[in-house]
Amino acid sequence: MAAQILDGKSLAASIRAALKERVAALVQRGVKPGLAVVLAGDDPASRVYVRNKRLAATETGVHSELIELPGTIGQRELRERIEGLNANRAIHGILVQLPLPKPIDAAAVLEAIAPAKDVDGFHEINMGALFAGRPAVVPCTPAGVMRLMEQARIPLAGRHAVVIGRSNIVGKPVAQLLLQKDATVTICHSKSSDLSELTRRADVLIAAVGRPKLVRQDMVKPGACVIDVGVNRLEDGKLAGDVDFQAVKEVAGWITPVPGGVGPMTIAMLLENCIRAASRELEPKPAG
Ligand code: NAD
């Protein structure tokens, strides 16, 4: 039987609709959530991502500001711009679109963001909290992956989850979140030997590499849940994930499409993180 398609596009739309109501309630209480998107250089894919994020923000009622900077910007100047946003009370979330132009040290730039405004969850403080099991801000794509599986009631406790990819943005945090749901987790990467042997043992398979058709049908256990995080631009201009969707959907139990799977969930989680950051403004401040 063909797999059930996990429709991230429609789930993300319903999350955004609920967020819109939360924003309206916040605005009534005098807080308008604000998101600053920092775009340095003119990478065409980054421009598309930034446009989509800002559009979704505006539709949800979140104030969004685009800080467009030349690709030649220096490390110190970029840092100063971020410090300005840290101090800006109208801004609750700061997102620095990656990749940054060379030779900027992206890790140092991300560390300059105030952890409370780090809506991507990439700051070491937020990463550390996640790995210690006290998540403060969960990175958007891993959070979106987990929400999709939660919505579809995919069993995770005691199941074997295999994550392909070990980046700080996707692979490592999603592995951590799966562990928190009591899955047994294997992380594979470019140096893993016999990838197929590992993936065939997965009840849940997450592909986050950036290589079209890396995951073939014979690499998937029948009935497995296959989540495709990859985004690849093919020669004909179409988008494709890391999974051979047409073939794998014939054996998997659940599968996400690309586009329309994880991508829209990432944006919904970004807005959720930003709105949560704004809500903190209304929480009582600790005494002293
Ligand atoms: P990355 O380049 O930082 O990491 C890729 C990982 O894949 C590395 O850990 C590497 O070890 C591993 N890898 C490379 N070749 C491999 C192979 N042959 N076998 C096994 N592992 C291999 O990329 P990233 O930032 O983690 O992104 C991964 C993919 O997800 C990209 O296509 C990216 O565009 C996409 N992405 C999508 C979203 C979304 O919202 N849908 C968000 C972030 C990233």
Side-chain angles (χ1 to χ4, degrees):
M1 208 172 76
Q4 185 182 325
I5 310 293
L6 297 178
D7 183 352
K9 194 174 169 190
S10 78
L11 177 57
S14 66
I15 293 171
R16 288 198 311 272
L19 290 175
K20 196 171 178 174
E21 288 181 18
R22 264 173 72 183
V23 171
L26 277 173
V27 169
Q28 280 211 328
R29 297 180 67 190
V31 178
K32 170 106 173 157
L35 173 71
V37 181
V38 179
L39 176 64
D42 48 18
D43 177 60
S46 291
R47 266 188 194 282
V48 174
Y49 290 137
V50 163
R51 195 180 60 220
N52 291 342
K53 288 169 185 174
R54 294 193 67 221
L55 253 175
T58 308
E59 278 170 21
T60 313
V62 171
H63 161 70
S64 101
E65 270 178 38
L66 174 63
I67 292 89
E68 262 188 291
L69 303 168
T72 50
I73 190 163
Q75 184 89 28
R76 192 201 298 178
E77 199 185 338
L78 185 48
R79 209 189 152 89
E80 281 167 6
R81 295 299 290 259
I82 288 172
E83 280 162 5
L85 294 169
N86 286 343
N88 183 341
R89 295 205 55 196
I91 295 298
H92 303 90
I94 303 169
L95 179 158
V96 176
Q97 185 63 42
L98 301 176
L100 285 170
K102 285 182 182 143
I104 289 176
D105 175 357
V109 171
L110 296 177
E111 288 313 293
I113 300 173
K117 295 191 178 188
D118 167 38
V119 280
D120 258 335
F122 296 160
H123 192 286
E124 281 175 14
I125 289 197
N126 288 321
M127 298 254 283
L130 175 69
F131 279 70
R134 292 181 286 100
V137 186
V138 177
C140 309
T141 302
V145 166
M146 298 305 288
R147 191 69 73 84
L148 258 176
M149 289 196 289
E150 185 185 302
Q151 170 77 14
R153 298 178 194 276
I154 311 289
L156 294 174
R159 303 299 165 110
H160 186 198
V162 173
V163 179
I164 322 177
R166 58 174 162 183
S167 70
N168 286 344
I169 293 170
V170 190
K172 281 187 218 162
V174 85
Q176 197 57 37
L177 293 169
L178 287 160
L179 198 56
Q180 284 169 15
K181 293 288 175 193
D182 297 325
T184 302
V185 184
T186 301
I187 306 177
C188 309
H189 46 79
S190 55
K191 303 288 189 295
S192 298
S193 53
D194 206 349
L195 186 65
S196 312
E197 196 268 324
L198 295 162
T199 60
R200 271 196 293 270
R201 288 197 273 131
D203 300 304
V204 172
L205 180 60
I206 317 263
V209 174
R211 247 176 95 168
K213 297 200 178 175
L214 176 81
V215 177
R216 304 179 310 266
Q217 191 186 56
D218 64 335
M219 294 167 72
V220 176
K221 179 176 174 175
C225 171
V226 180
I227 307 282
D228 192 352
V229 180
V231 178
N232 305 292
R233 181 73 63 184
L234 304 179
E235 274 176 12
D236 62 5
K238 289 191 179 140
L239 282 187
D242 291 345
V243 176
D244 182 351
F245 180 82
Q246 291 305 333
V248 170
K249 79 173 175 16
E250 298 306 320
V251 294
W254 298 266
I255 190 167
T256 59
V258 176
V262 174
M265 292 299 294
T266 296
I267 297 183
M269 296 298 101
L270 168 70
L271 298 175
E272 191 170 278
N273 282 347
C274 185
I275 293 160
R276 195 175 291 137
S279 320
R280 272 188 231 118
E281 213 175 277
L282 295 171
E283 287 170 9
K285 303 273 175 296

